[in-house]
Amino acid sequence: FVVGDNIDTDQIIPAEHLTLVPSKPDEYRKLGSFAFVGLPAAAYPIPFVAPGEESSRYAVIIGGANFGCGSSREHAPVALGAAGARAVVAEGYARIFFRNSVATGEVYPLELADSGASKECKTGDVVTVDLDNSVLINHTSGKQYKLKPIGDAGPVIEAGGIFAYARKTGMIASKSA
């Protein structure tokens, strides 16, 4: 799913849906169904989540510069993850969106080493995110795009977020049985 520059958190998940509580499974799924409903339909005629569905068929989101700008809301990466997205590959991030993505462990916020992917890739292209080699492969066009390494954020996301990582590494006590 390809979006342009300056996609703000209100486009990712509008404020009226922030009353949903992600820790409740039914509300988590509902949150996913509202991912990207704030995008203007004229500019984005293909919805990220099809009407009547709770999840998206797009596991990778490709964005331009300043992805996730606007207000700080953890619901933004949570909504994308709840919809089935696994990674956002963008030319740049608002720092708070990047941090919330890592803290929640919902999506990998991967940054392109060079610009171009958000203008060259199209919604529906078949892509692979190769974390080991830090590359986005567009199988539809045959192009590859270098990614900046995810670094120390990778293990935190893999663990399921900052609290899960802290429990896994012994920084905080595990939940009692």
Side-chain angles (χ1 to χ4, degrees):
F1 191 78
V2 181
V3 295
D5 295 338
N6 303 310
I7 298 299
D8 66 55
T9 54
D10 207 48
Q11 292 172 311
I12 297 169
I13 187 70
E16 64 259 26
H17 305 299
L18 299 182
T19 58
L20 294 168
V21 179
S23 61
K24 296 179 179 179
D26 289 347
E27 293 189 25
Y28 178 80
R29 287 190 302 277
K30 189 82 163 163
L31 192 61
S33 73
F34 293 124
F36 280 129
V37 297
L39 288 174
Y44 298 95
I46 299 171
F48 181 65
V49 178
E53 298 292 323
E54 289 185 331
S55 61
S56 176
R57 64 184 193 125
Y58 305 108
V60 178
I61 298 158
I62 299 172
N66 203 27
F67 188 92
C69 59
S71 60
S72 170
R73 53 181 73 157
E74 286 181 347
H75 283 69
V78 171
L80 297 178
R86 297 299 307 133
V88 178
V89 178
E91 292 181 24
Y93 290 93
R95 201 75 199 135
I96 194 67
F97 179 87
F98 185 94
R99 186 193 178 292
N100 283 338
S101 296
V102 174
T104 63
E106 289 286 341
V107 294
Y108 284 89
L110 302 166
E111 191 170 353
L112 290 154
D114 298 308
S115 61
S118 68
K119 295 185 181 37
E120 295 171 358
C121 296
K122 305 287 181 239
T123 293
D125 284 358
V126 176
V127 300
T128 298
V129 173
D130 182 342
L131 289 174
D132 293 333
N133 295 305
S134 298
V135 66
L136 170 72
I137 305 163
N138 184 325
H139 301 283
T140 304
S141 69
K143 289 192 168 193
Q144 292 190 19
Y145 303 90
K146 188 77 178 138
L147 303 172
K148 293 180 182 178
I150 192 72
D152 292 339
V156 177
I157 298 164
E158 288 167 19
I162 194 72
F163 289 109
Y165 178 78
R167 283 186 196 93
K168 180 180 177 183
T169 60
M171 292 178 185
I172 59 175
S174 295
K175 293 179 180 178
S176 299

